């Protein structure tokens, strides 16, 4: 989660539970925390004004945290009269409008454009349709509307409807809903990182028509960014849930089968084994035990620890839960390696872990599987 201004940073920081400082080796400071009442793990950073600094620090954030998505939240100026102050604009694509070539007969535009990913766009529209993001008890004004459309990103603050700059935007980027200064840099950084999903969310704080000083005096910036932050928080939670659902088919149990057309892909994890792999089976199927070795609880514990670490890194588990569960698993391994193995102690530790990770259904199922192996030793 990135912002350009302190007022934008502060509006989103208020939504984080117990934010903790994360220092980048080059001096950039992020804060990492979870959304209040949610499970989404957020790394929040301040990039400053302009596309160049936004691109550099977005690249730094991506390399440091390997996020599931990159979101940029802030304020912008509206370019159309139907967009009210305080409304939220979600960029379907971002125009970098300053590119061009200067010739004898005038300046010729050579813009760049980045589109939002289809899945991220679909999730954002779903969040808007549900409308729950506005029901947070903080709204004191009209309910803001959410607009989906292009955003123009350049290196100047537009505060006129008659300047040459305004005329250029109107003639060449007439469908742009709002104008701002960082979206193109963030979009470029995400594009260069395996097309990482990026979403630019802007609260409308002025009309880009010469009235910016007046709207700033009326404190439209904090009001607009509060609306944008509310929508962004709901969107971040939905993106997290969607990411977890994508992982679910391969982590729900010890075995899985995914079929596409006539092709079946069977997945066996841990101590599970594939018995049949086929598109169609006609008649009976007989499975023989063969010489397969017995499942090894010690190896299963090692794999469970790896799954636990992966869940923490993916934001499914918070640091405190991960730390407590990891301590129990380390104790279980020690008890299992004792002579003779202390299965009662192992069982108790695994039961504690199962309770700690109960909200992560896939991980809890794997704990139960290992617990079953240990009980067979008793």
């Amino acid at each position: 989660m990135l912002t350009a201004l302190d007022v934008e940073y502060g509006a989103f920081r208020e939504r984080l539970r117990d934010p903790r400082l994360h220092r980048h080796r080059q001096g950039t400071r992020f804060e990492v925390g979870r959304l209040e009442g949610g499970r989404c793990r957020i790394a929040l950073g301040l990039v400053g004004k302009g596309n160049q600094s936004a691109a550099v620090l977005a690249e730094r954030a991506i390399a440091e945290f390997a996020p599931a998505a990159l979101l940029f939240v802030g304020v912008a100026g509206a370019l159309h009269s139907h967009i009210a102050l305080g409304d939220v604009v979600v960029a379907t694509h971002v125009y970098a409008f300053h590119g061009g070539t200067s010739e004898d007969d005038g300046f010729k535009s050579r813009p760049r454009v980045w589109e939002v990913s289809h899945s991220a766009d679909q999730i954002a529209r779903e969040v808007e349709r549900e409308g729950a993001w506005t029901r947070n008890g903080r709204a004191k004004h009209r309910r803001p509307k959410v607009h989906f459309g292009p955003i123009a990103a350049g290196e100047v603050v537009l505060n006129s409807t008659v300047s040459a700059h305004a005329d250029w935007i109107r003639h060449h980027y007439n469908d742009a809903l709002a104008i701002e200064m960082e979206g193109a840099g963030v979009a470029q950084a995400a594009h260069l990182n395996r097309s990482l999903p990026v979403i630019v969310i802007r609260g409308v704080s002025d009309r880009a028509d010469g009235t910016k000083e007046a709207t700033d005096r009326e404190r439209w910036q904090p009001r607009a960014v509060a609306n944008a932050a509310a929508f962004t928080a709901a969107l971040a939670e939905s993106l997290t849930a969607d990411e977890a659902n994508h992982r679910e088919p391969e982590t729900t149990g010890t075995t899985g089968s995914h079929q596409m057309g006539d092709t079946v892909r069977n997945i066996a994890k841990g101590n599970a084994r594939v018995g049949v792999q086929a598109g169609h089976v006609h008649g009976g199927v007989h499975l023989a035990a063969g010489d397969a070795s017995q499942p090894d609880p010690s190896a299963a514990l090692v794999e469970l620890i790896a799954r636990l670490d992966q869940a923490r890194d993916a934001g499914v588990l918070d640091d405190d839960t991960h730390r407590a569960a990891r301590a129990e698993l380390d104790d279980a391994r020690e008890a299992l390696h004792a002579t003779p193995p202390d299965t009662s102690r192992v069982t108790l530790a695994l039961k504690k872990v199962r309770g700690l990770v109960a909200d992560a259904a896939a991980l809890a199922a794997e704990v139960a599987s290992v617990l079953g192996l240990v009980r067979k030793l008793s």
Side-chain angles (χ1 to χ4, degrees):
M1 189 76 61
L2 300 178
T3 69
L5 305 176
D6 288 322
V7 66
E8 299 163 348
Y9 188 98
F12 203 89
R13 188 181 187 277
E14 290 180 358
R15 297 180 171 275
L16 295 183
R17 180 178 71 248
D18 189 27
R20 299 181 181 181
L21 180 63
H22 179 98
R23 296 180 179 87
H24 187 272
R25 59 188 176 278
Q26 300 300 334
T28 308
R29 297 196 169 204
F30 299 92
E31 288 188 277
V32 179
R34 292 189 181 275
L35 291 171
E36 287 287 354
R39 64 176 182 174
C40 182
R41 189 164 178 256
I42 299 289
L44 179 63
L46 182 72
V47 302
K49 296 180 182 180
N51 286 301
Q52 292 183 0
S53 63
V56 171
L57 294 184
E59 169 68 28
R60 183 166 294 176
I62 295 168
E64 186 76 359
F65 299 104
L70 180 63
L71 284 74
F72 195 97
V73 59
V75 296
L79 294 175
H80 293 274
S81 59
H82 70 279
I83 301 175
L85 296 179
D87 282 358
V88 175
V89 176
V90 180
T92 57
H93 44 290
V94 178
Y95 294 130
F97 60 80
H98 268 124
T101 177
S102 181
E103 300 182 5
D104 290 344
D105 57 346
F107 187 79
K108 306 298 176 61
S109 179
R110 290 185 178 179
R112 299 193 66 182
V113 61
W114 295 268
E115 289 193 40
V116 67
S117 72
H118 175 67
S119 61
D121 179 67
Q122 291 285 294
I123 293 170
R125 291 176 189 272
E126 183 178 49
V127 171
E128 188 277 329
R129 284 194 299 270
E130 291 176 348
W133 67 276
T134 60
R135 298 193 290 270
N136 56 14
R138 300 184 186 181
K140 298 179 181 179
H141 309 283
R142 61 176 282 276
R143 177 177 173 175
K145 294 182 179 179
V146 180
H147 306 269
F148 292 85
I151 283 180
E155 301 301 321
V156 298
V157 175
L158 179 62
N159 192 28
S160 170
T161 58
V162 297
S163 67
H165 196 75
D167 186 63
W168 172 260
I169 296 294
R170 187 163 49 250
H171 278 84
H172 295 278
Y173 306 93
N174 187 256
D175 60 341
L177 301 183
I179 187 168
E180 43 98 320
M181 299 175 63
E182 294 82 28
V186 173
Q188 173 72 349
H191 173 73
L192 295 177
N193 279 273
R194 299 181 182 273
S195 296
L196 175 73
V198 59
I199 311 175
V200 178
I201 305 100
R202 294 287 186 170
V204 174
S205 61
D206 63 84
R207 297 188 180 281
D209 62 355
T211 61
K212 180 173 172 56
E213 289 187 10
T215 54
D216 285 353
R217 284 196 301 270
E218 294 171 3
R219 295 188 55 77
W220 271 106
Q221 272 201 350
R223 288 162 64 179
V225 78
N227 292 339
F231 182 86
T232 305
L235 176 57
E237 283 292 343
S238 294
L239 287 167
T240 300
D242 184 71
E243 180 70 14
N245 288 338
H246 277 302
R247 294 193 300 266
E248 191 70 16
E250 294 190 10
T251 58
T252 299
T254 57
T255 61
S257 177
H258 309 280
Q259 182 166 342
M260 294 175 288
D262 290 333
T263 301
V264 175
R265 180 165 61 94
N266 292 294
I267 298 172
K269 294 189 174 181
N271 297 298
R273 288 170 174 78
V274 173
V276 175
Q277 179 166 330
H280 300 280
V281 177
H282 302 280
V285 176
H286 174 71
L287 299 178
D291 296 325
S293 60
Q294 291 296 319
D296 179 9
S298 180
L301 267 175
V302 171
E303 184 171 349
L304 183 58
I305 290 173
R307 301 285 186 212
L308 186 76
D309 293 344
Q310 290 171 5
R312 185 271 314 276
D313 295 341
V316 176
L317 294 181
D318 60 66
D319 290 336
D320 292 336
T321 301
H322 171 268
R323 192 178 302 111
R326 180 62 187 267
E328 295 295 339
L329 290 180
D330 289 341
D331 185 61
R333 288 187 66 195
E334 181 181 335
L336 192 60
H337 292 150
T339 306
D342 189 346
T343 55
S344 296
R345 181 176 155 196
V346 177
T347 300
L348 180 60
L350 287 172
K351 286 182 177 179
K352 290 180 180 178
V353 174
R354 186 172 58 182
L356 287 167
V357 303
D359 290 339
L363 191 57
E366 294 198 33
V367 176
S369 177
V370 178
L371 188 56
L373 295 177
V374 173
R375 284 172 174 163
K376 291 179 181 180
L377 298 178
S378 302

